[in-house]
Amino acid sequence: MTAWGDFNDAAPLPEDSASELPGAEQTALDRPPGAGQPMPAAVGSIAPDIEQIAAFLDVVFGYCDGLIPVRGFIDQGQGLDTKPHNIWVPADRHAAASLSAYATWAAREGSAVYVIPGTVAEQGQARAEHVLQMQTVVVDLDAGDITAKLTHLVQHLGAPTLLVESGGRTAEGVAKLHVWWRLTEPAEGADLVRVCALRGEIAEKVSGDLHFRSAHQPIRVPGTVHQKQGVQRRVTIREHRPRVEVELPDFAAAVAAMPSMPGLEAPAHSANRPGLDAVLTTPVREGAQDAWTRFQGASAAIGHFVRMVHEGRITGDEGWEAICQYNAACLRPAWPLDRLKAEADAIWALHVDRNGPPLLRADAALPAAVPAHTLGALLDDRSPMPDDLIGPRLLTPGGMLVLGGAPKVGKSDFLISLLVHAAAGAPFLRFTAPRPLRVFYLQAEIQYHYLRERLQQLRLDRAVAARARDTLVVTPKLRMLLDERGVPLVAAAIRQAFPDAPPDVICIDPIRNLFDGGPGGEGENDNAAMLFFLQSRVEALRDEVAPEAGIILAHHTKKLSKKQVKDDPFLSLSGASALRGFYTSGMILFRPDEEETPRELHVELRNGPGLNPLLIDKRGGAWVELDRKGERIVRRDVGARLDAERSRRHDVILQIIAQEAREGRVFTGGAFAAQFENTHGLGGNDTISRRINVLANKGYIKFLRAAPEHGIPASKSSKGYLLVQDMLFATGEETMDPETGEITPRLVRLLPTHFQSDTNSAVLPVENPEVWVLNDPEVEA
């Protein structure tokens, strides 16, 4: 089987014509049961397991809409020869029952049960281009050292959601495995292409089954019966982790970082699709005498030239001439021109349907000369430097700023604040704009209502908000790519937003939601795809509407340790390294301590001197810069643990004082320290006394000299009894609820008579006992 065949151990389904695919009406007279029909008993000794089938369907189709293509192929070695049986099961709550009924029938007939792990729109659809949604990434380990391959995958990609024993055995007798990771949401469109590419890349790195590059590759269903050579085994779920889900961009980054396993030979059946150069130069004879058929070679060559015409790299006449030359040079015998023309027209129509209208480019006039300047001319040019769009040199005319940060670090919130201030011409942290800038914010992450909520929650100076009302234009969450169709749409939106003058800043947030890697469909981890996106999409958009505008791109970061981010923050940017070599300035926002709110902002400038990292936080709805002088420099972890322990002891002391009062007991400071020494983890007498003194200085503890009306005699202590805010005291009397008759202890609120000064620790009378004043700087901040 060549690389154009896309089934593992199942009978191959041709992709040449949809009419060759068996439909529901083509099954044998002894039909499988449909949904709701009674389930016949399996003849074999092993019956399907509906619970495993249901668990599998939840992992692979739980988030998907549409129909699940189900395939029944006769397992080899049974002496049976019947056609495949195909059904399409709706991906709903009845799917497990329907598939279990089908599996029971298949077990009786000696047929294996496969599904294409993606959904389609209509019955009869099962080709790769029909698959609309997928929510998993899978690798089939069917040869070699299965255990070592699984260990390698878990080490680099994490534990899978589902681990399935497919029923087959290697030559060494080891169970073959299917390894599944569930995504947080179904992949569609470009993300679906990315999922298939990831399946192929993983398979290449561990010598798995490379057929899973194709979206329509079927796979056995757990809970059904494997019957090759007449030996029955159930396809079994070995491990199921229903809570394990992965984000597609993060998982793609992990796959890119995963090394190939050393010393493994590729499986014998996993021949790679030949390269384009080989297809365009290798003669191929009729009758499938060569590595690929005439139809496969012609389709690949025609598809290549169709893409070139569609992208505007060659004219239609040049494309047709190239197709005819391939036909004459490589097909033996050549196809008739009418068949060649019909095939080219069909592929062109399909390509336009998938990718939109062809890109029509105006013929650009060649520059009169390539600009070049002598050293002397550059040294003598003393003309003023162009004003920064956002200074100092953060965003220059025609420059590109990339802001990176992990999910949920506050990247979009920080970016919105920066853009609002730039649109108002107001300073933001250390960054300034020389005048109010016209800003177009192309964002594809936050829906309209949550976007307006976030903007309304910003604590903005009224003058800043007034100046930015009309100069900042924001899109709600978009469901589109910045491709050959998206670029003209966005350009038109920008012109409509700023009809009188071009924008100063175009912001795209985030890259991954709008990313288009070009004709090859590669993701953001590919350097060529990233350069294509930056040059042919982002810069093309800028050149079309405002050549001198600054570009701001928001991007995610990889999952690295805090030390790695500290050592070189900009290595944490997700995707290809080409991005860092392309931008003129970069910013990385990250949280050094996940349990604390302050973030560090690192800035890298290509056109100016570097800036020291900023320590920033959001306080009261606004981003502020914090003073680094109060930070610990050495033994930060130890200091943080000591701080936490002191805070715990403070809380425990306050809780005990309040609880004891509710039971009718009050204490002086000395009596409390003696009573609770070495209890509740509070330490010794002196330690407790010091903590009480700190709490009194900060105002958490105040004092009561006497309350004879409640049975509290005058204190012999110089300070009095310990009180906390809103402290209730049990007087020893009881009270009855007039409605319920319930009898409860009578509690009264005790008010302080004295407090301890935070400047000299003197005990002074309280002016108003109803007002409780704290002297804690951390609370005031």
Side-chain angles (χ1 to χ4, degrees):
M1 186 182 302
T2 72
W4 279 281
D6 285 302
F7 288 87
N8 45 12
D9 59 356
L13 294 183
E15 287 208 272
D16 296 353
S17 172
S19 63
E20 297 178 29
L21 193 63
E25 70 281 357
Q26 293 175 267
T27 56
L29 293 176
D30 189 6
R31 296 179 182 272
Q37 292 182 344
M39 188 184 302
V43 174
S45 58
I46 299 179
D49 186 330
I50 188 172
E51 292 184 0
Q52 293 203 32
I53 292 174
F56 171 78
L57 290 175
D58 177 64
V59 170
V60 182
F61 300 102
Y63 301 151
C64 292
D65 297 319
L67 300 176
I68 304 169
V70 182
R71 301 285 167 262
F73 299 107
I74 295 297
D75 267 326
Q76 300 170 1
Q78 301 181 85
L80 302 175
D81 185 18
T82 60
K83 290 184 177 180
H85 296 280
N86 308 312
I87 64 171
W88 283 259
V89 174
D92 57 20
R93 60 191 180 91
H94 302 296
S98 300
L99 190 54
S100 297
Y102 180 87
T104 302
W105 169 86
R108 185 189 68 190
E109 297 297 315
S111 183
V113 180
Y114 294 77
V115 295
I116 293 173
T119 53
V120 298
E122 300 176 5
Q123 288 204 10
Q125 293 183 340
R127 292 169 60 172
E129 62 266 24
H130 295 151
V131 177
L132 300 180
Q133 290 185 330
M134 279 186 173
Q135 68 177 54
T136 54
V137 179
V138 63
V139 59
D140 180 4
L141 305 180
D142 57 359
D145 191 339
I146 304 292
T147 302
K149 294 180 181 183
L150 178 62
T151 301
H152 186 78
L153 290 170
V154 172
Q155 177 184 354
H156 294 281
L157 304 182
T161 310
L162 203 64
L163 186 62
V164 176
E165 294 185 6
S166 66
R169 296 290 187 268
T170 66
E172 295 78 18
V174 178
K176 299 179 180 181
L177 299 177
H178 299 157
V179 189
W180 299 85
W181 290 269
R182 178 166 58 186
L183 303 175
T184 55
E185 60 183 356
E188 302 175 344
D191 283 343
L192 183 59
V193 175
R194 191 178 187 185
V195 166
C196 294
L198 285 177
R199 300 197 315 184
E201 185 175 353
I202 295 171
E204 286 179 347
K205 291 185 175 182
V206 296
S207 284
D209 189 342
L210 293 180
H211 292 114
F212 283 91
R213 284 196 186 99
S214 298
H216 74 304
Q217 172 66 16
I219 193 164
R220 287 183 187 266
V221 176
T224 64
V225 183
H226 178 286
Q227 305 186 69
K228 279 191 175 182
Q229 310 304 325
V231 178
Q232 289 193 337
R233 296 189 188 94
R234 183 180 288 127
V235 183
T236 305
I237 295 176
R238 179 190 291 183
E239 296 175 9
H240 181 203
R241 300 176 180 86
R243 295 186 178 180
V244 173
E245 294 184 343
V246 295
E247 292 277 359
L248 180 56
D250 297 338
F251 193 72
V255 172
M258 180 177 71
S260 298
M261 288 191 67
L264 286 178
E265 296 182 1
H269 63 272
S270 60
N272 292 324
R273 182 189 291 267
L276 180 63
D277 289 343
V279 171
L280 295 179
T281 58
T282 304
V284 55
R285 295 165 292 178
E286 64 179 349
Q289 302 178 56
D290 302 297
W292 55 88
T293 66
R294 289 190 304 163
F295 180 85
Q296 292 166 338
S299 296
I302 293 171
H304 167 68
F305 294 120
V306 160
R307 282 193 299 272
M308 293 186 69
V309 173
H310 188 271
E311 294 164 13
R313 290 189 279 176
I314 59 177
T315 67
D317 290 341
E318 291 170 341
W320 173 243
E321 183 180 354
I323 291 170
C324 292
Q325 290 174 349
Y326 169 82
N327 182 48
C330 293
L331 299 189
R332 309 286 176 81
W335 277 3
L337 287 182
D338 56 347
R339 180 184 180 186
L340 192 69
K341 184 68 166 61
E343 187 65 24
D345 289 344
I347 292 177
W348 172 261
L350 181 61
H351 192 78
V352 170
D353 181 62
R354 290 178 178 174
N355 301 282
L359 184 62
L360 301 177
R361 300 181 183 179
D363 292 334
L366 293 175
V370 175
H373 308 281
T374 65
L375 173 62
L378 294 172
L379 293 175
D380 294 341
D381 186 354
R382 300 294 179 175
S383 59
M385 294 293 294
D387 291 335
D388 295 338
L389 294 173
I390 302 177
R393 299 290 175 92
L394 187 69
L395 185 63
T396 54
M400 180 180 291
L401 164 64
V402 174
L403 169 62
K408 312 303 181 187
V409 77
K411 179 174 65 277
S412 292
D413 196 289
F414 175 86
L415 181 58
I416 290 172
S417 297
L418 173 65
L419 295 178
V420 169
H421 285 79
F428 175 68
L429 300 177
R430 299 184 191 175
F431 312 117
T432 58
R435 55 178 173 79
L437 304 177
R438 294 176 296 276
V439 180
F440 189 86
Y441 182 20
L442 179 67
Q443 75 89 27
E445 204 163 41
I446 308 171
Q447 295 171 320
Y448 170 79
H449 295 291
Y450 306 101
L451 176 65
R452 66 182 176 89
E453 179 185 54
R454 182 171 294 190
L455 289 169
Q456 291 166 6
Q457 290 174 347
L458 291 177
R459 194 180 71 180
L460 295 173
D461 183 90
R462 289 187 177 181
V464 170
R467 292 199 298 270
R469 287 185 68 89
D470 299 321
T471 53
L472 173 61
V473 178
V474 188
T475 67
K477 181 176 181 178
L478 299 176
R479 296 184 181 274
M480 60 175 288
L481 295 179
L482 201 60
D483 54 13
E484 66 271 10
R485 288 181 291 180
V487 169
L489 288 174
V490 175
I494 294 175
R495 293 192 187 99
Q496 183 177 1
F498 300 106
D500 300 326
D504 299 299
V505 177
I506 301 171
C507 180
I508 298 173
D509 177 19
I511 287 177
R512 74 174 185 183
N513 287 11
L514 296 159
F515 187 83
D516 172 42
E522 291 85 358
E524 62 194 66
N525 293 309
D526 184 87
N527 277 313
M530 178 61 75
L531 283 174
F532 176 88
F533 177 72
L534 296 174
Q535 293 175 334
S536 301
R537 300 299 185 233
V538 177
E539 289 200 327
L541 172 63
R542 173 171 60 188
D543 292 344
E544 188 168 343
V545 295
E548 291 301 311
I551 296 289
I552 299 178
L553 303 178
H555 197 33
H556 291 291
T557 53
K558 295 178 285 192
K559 292 183 178 179
L560 300 178
S561 68
K562 300 297 182 186
K563 184 178 184 306
Q564 288 175 308
V565 177
K566 277 278 191 183
D567 291 343
D568 192 341
F570 296 93
L571 285 181
S572 64
L573 285 172
S574 291
S577 59
L579 178 63
R580 189 177 184 186
F582 200 88
Y583 63 65
T584 56
S585 55
M587 303 174 78
I588 295 292
L589 184 68
F590 79 100
R591 184 178 282 125
D593 187 340
E594 294 298 332
E595 297 182 358
E596 302 291 337
T597 58
R599 289 86 154 173
E600 284 192 2
L601 182 67
H602 291 256
V603 183
E604 180 179 54
L605 303 179
R606 181 158 296 146
N607 294 331
L611 298 179
N612 292 328
L614 284 67
L615 185 66
I616 62 175
D617 199 3
K618 195 172 184 186
R619 301 284 174 88
W623 289 91
V624 296
E625 184 175 0
L626 306 181
D627 186 1
R628 284 185 172 273
K629 294 180 180 178
E631 283 190 294
R632 286 189 176 94
I633 299 176
V634 297
R635 305 189 70 186
R636 294 185 181 184
D637 292 343
V638 175
R641 287 197 297 270
L642 293 176
D643 289 344
E645 175 60 18
R646 280 192 289 270
S647 178
R648 184 196 68 82
R649 291 183 181 181
H650 287 180
D651 292 342
V652 170
I653 290 172
L654 298 178
Q655 291 169 4
I656 292 175
I657 294 172
Q659 183 60 37
E660 291 292 320
R662 294 181 69 92
E663 297 177 5
R665 293 185 292 274
V666 292
F667 296 88
T668 63
F672 183 92
Q675 178 69 25
F676 295 100
E677 181 180 27
N678 295 324
T679 64
H680 301 88
L682 295 178
N685 191 315
D686 293 341
T687 300
I688 297 175
S689 297
R690 287 195 298 271
R691 292 300 105 208
I692 290 175
N693 190 55
V694 170
L695 290 168
N697 256 32
K698 291 184 176 182
Y700 291 101
I701 291 178
K702 299 187 188 299
F703 303 98
L704 172 68
R705 287 288 171 85
E709 68 274 18
H710 301 313
I712 301 176
S715 170
K716 296 181 180 180
S717 167
S718 60
K719 295 182 178 180
Y721 298 105
L722 306 178
L723 260 69
V724 297
Q725 190 172 8
D726 298 324
M727 190 169 90
L728 299 177
F729 175 72
T731 61
E733 301 173 357
E734 294 181 338
T735 181
M736 184 178 70
D737 190 317
E739 295 183 359
T740 65
E742 181 183 6
I743 297 176
T744 57
R746 180 171 175 264
L747 299 175
V748 297
R749 182 170 171 238
L750 296 182
L751 298 176
T753 59
H754 291 74
F755 73 98
Q756 183 167 303
S757 170
D758 61 327
T759 57
N760 57 11
S761 295
V763 178
L764 304 174
V766 171
E767 295 182 3
N768 185 350
E770 293 289 346
V771 178
W772 195 282
V773 179
L774 296 177
N775 301 311
D776 190 346
E778 294 184 5
V779 173
E780 293 175 0

